[in-house]
Amino acid sequence: MTNAPLEMLPEDEAPRQLGGQNRIRLIGIFFTFAFLAIAAQLTHLTIFPKQDDGPPRPVVEARLPRPDIIDRNGVLLATDVAVASIFADPSKIIDIDEAVELLTATMPDLDAKDLRRKLTTAKRFAWIKRQVPPEERDAVYNLGIPGVSYINERRRVYPQGRLSGHVVGYVDLDTKGIAGIEKYLDDQGAIYTASLAEPTEHRTEPAQLSIDIRVQAALIDEITRSIEKFKAIAGGGIVMNINTGEVLGLVSLPDFNPNQEKKNFGKDQQNRMTSGVYELGSVIKAVTFAMALDYGTVTLDSRFDTRFPLVIGNARIHDFHPQNHPLTLSEVFTESSNIGTAKMALEVGIERHQAFLRRVGLFEKLQTELPEAARPLLPRHWSKLATATAAFGHGFAVQPLQGAAVVAGLLNGGHLMTPTFLRRSEEEALATAQTVIKQSTSETLRYLFRLNATEGSASKADVIGYRVGGKTGTAEKVVNGRYAKDQRLASFIGAFPMDNPKYLVLVMLDDPKALPETYGFATAGWNAVPTAAKVIERIAPMLGVEPEFSPEDLQKLAKLEEKEKKKKD
């Protein structure tokens, strides 16, 4: 058998076979890379799953915690706590009916109709419930509803509740400051937003206030009791350090609890001490006395004939307790004579009267750290009659805090300071203070304040041992644009100890009623003054003011002890 000769392919057949083999190789390479790409993608998804796929996963928060707020002694007034908020991506909800049923069963306070509306929207994001407790967050997480997750947030809480509501203020659901110091912190840039890359790099120091929560508690307690006792509509009070301008306590009642979920606070709950203006009556007389003494138009030896009404045009100015003899300067103060005070202002003159009121800041709006602030209401036309009536606080309305700040400046040696709700040293306060009267004028005013507490309308404020001095004010309220003779605003402003004043106290009661024990009177000396006395009696030991007892004080204490013994017997 012979071997067959080698068969040779035609010349055009060889390239065709080679091309087919190349195509097979290319197809193989293509599929290899395709499978590798798919495998890589699957590996990536396994290791780094998408945030919004599968079960709900927590989202890193971008907003930093707000700074804590503490009182002057370090007591916590406001802080952040970690919470979660439930949200949904409606585009990923597979079964809306089932989602609504499960979520409303887990969170019964949800409205099913409202929830369905949110889940059927075309938007990619919808809040389901904000700031939920951990157990509710976990319950929703365990439902495993696609498209439903939660985000970590912060909730603002106020451990002291209503005790510091008007001063500290509050925030909204997004922890943005809405009122009080909370809004001030936002406006000052104390709140920052971090990048997601480094969400914990920034640290904010606590904001320390001038407020003393112990003083605040005493103030709110005593004013609450007086409102109830005298059936007043509302009330308020301020305690201030005379030498630094620090506000140690500020209360406005009715108040609110900043922890309240729905902060739909009404007009009655506004901060009357800063956002309202009132005719403080005879409290403004202290300003008139300081003015006349500083200009030198009067001295302690001056006398005023107040036996007859003061007639200016068609107006007649009367005294509440008219006297049938001329009054000394001291008697004008202790008897709270409108006629005598008006005559003092008229002797100073209209232009100089206005200039002094501008000097002490009563023509301008007082602005502290609290954003809630009202402008003074001044006479439209500053006539002779306007000067006379403004001298005793009629037709002249200011913030109670502004009135307190001015009187503090008149009693501390003449250094007018803008009040502050932040801690401040005496040196820092004096560096920005404005000198408005002479030291001698301030000393004379202290004498008159103390005299009024021992012999005048503020005698019920004379807390034994603390040398209290003060001035009362009772003004007719303006109702529907007219003065109402049967409605009044009773106020008292005082300081202690008057030989070297350290603290100022203001108490205001809105329309207190007369009681049998007040003999039918509803003026400040019967309600606002004894309220202030109780406040001073409680806070003086807290503030380190030691009592000093004169022989007269010791006699008073002995009489009080004797009375107490008789009551027990």
Side-chain angles (χ1 to χ4, degrees), residues 145-216:
I145 304 173
V148 175
S149 188
Y150 64 86
I151 185 171
N152 293 320
E153 291 192 298
R154 294 273 170 175
R155 181 176 182 174
R156 199 65 162 166
V157 295
Y158 304 92
Q160 303 301 322
R162 60 189 288 258
L163 271 184
S164 57
H166 279 113
V167 175
V168 174
Y170 54 91
V171 299
D172 63 10
L173 270 177
D174 295 312
T175 69
K176 293 178 181 177
I178 300 299
I181 291 295
E182 293 282 31
K183 188 174 190 308
Y184 169 78
L185 291 175
D186 281 22
D187 293 343
Q188 295 299 308
I191 311 302
Y192 303 89
T193 300
S195 67
L196 287 175
E198 296 178 332
T200 59
E201 286 298 310
H202 182 78
R203 291 290 183 271
T204 307
E205 293 297 320
Q208 188 164 35
L209 305 189
S210 60
I211 293 293
D212 186 326
I213 203 65
R214 303 170 304 167
V215 172
Q216 190 80 0

Side-chain angles (χ1 to χ4, degrees), residues 7 11 21 26 88 108 117 198 229 233-234 239 262 266 278 292 323 350 379 435 518 527 540:
E7 184 180 1
E11 291 185 6
Q21 292 173 351
L26 287 173
R117 179 185 59 78
E198 296 178 332
K229 179 178 180 178
I233 297 171
V239 176
K262 293 184 178 178
Y278 303 89
Q323 303 295 314
I350 296 175
T435 302
T518 67
N527 42 60

Side-chain angles (χ1 to χ4, degrees), residues 48-70:
F48 307 106
K50 291 176 69 176
Q51 188 69 38
D52 57 357
D53 285 342
R57 297 178 182 273
V59 180
V60 177
E61 60 182 354
R63 190 170 176 80
L64 286 170
R66 298 176 66 86
D68 287 348
I69 299 176
I70 57 177

Side-chain angles (χ1 to χ4, degrees), residues 214-215 218 239 496 505 534-544:
R214 303 170 304 167
V215 172
V239 176
F496 67 97
V505 175
K534 290 176 181 176
V535 170
I536 292 169
E537 195 171 22
R538 290 179 62 174
I539 69 173
M542 298 177 189
L543 299 174

Side-chain angles (χ1 to χ4, degrees), residues 394-513:
H394 187 83
F396 191 151
V398 298
Q399 297 177 34
L401 180 60
Q402 189 165 15
V406 172
V407 172
L410 300 178
L411 294 176
N412 68 5
H415 308 294
L416 182 64
M417 304 169 181
T418 300
T420 181
F421 290 87
L422 304 177
R423 287 209 68 172
R424 179 169 68 188
S425 68
E426 189 170 341
E427 292 73 20
E428 290 170 333
L430 286 172
T432 58
Q434 177 187 356
T435 302
V436 291
I437 57 172
K438 297 186 284 287
Q439 177 71 31
S440 58
T441 302
S442 181
E443 290 172 358
T444 303
L445 208 60
R446 293 179 197 173
Y447 163 76
L448 292 173
F449 266 61
R450 177 59 180 154
L451 185 68
N452 197 42
T454 56
E455 300 179 11
S457 59
S459 59
K460 293 185 184 299
D462 190 19
V463 182
I464 298 173
Y466 290 109
R467 294 94 68 204
V468 180
K471 189 75 187 78
T472 58
T474 305
E476 294 176 349
K477 285 181 62 177
V478 177
V479 180
N480 298 324
R482 295 178 177 273
Y483 287 99
K485 294 188 177 297
D486 59 342
Q487 297 185 48
R488 61 199 62 80
L489 191 77
S491 57
F492 168 80
I493 191 163
F496 67 97
M498 282 312 302
D499 50 340
N500 182 23
K502 289 182 171 62
Y503 300 101
L504 175 142
V505 175
L506 180 144
V507 169
M508 188 180 81
L509 295 174
D510 187 349
D511 200 20
K513 308 301 185 295

Side-chain angles (χ1 to χ4, degrees), residues 86-90 93 103 119 123-128 147-149:
I86 312 298
F87 70 92
D89 179 351
I93 302 292
L103 290 170
L119 298 184
K123 297 179 180 178
R124 294 292 307 273
F125 182 91
W127 285 118
I128 295 177
V148 175
S149 188

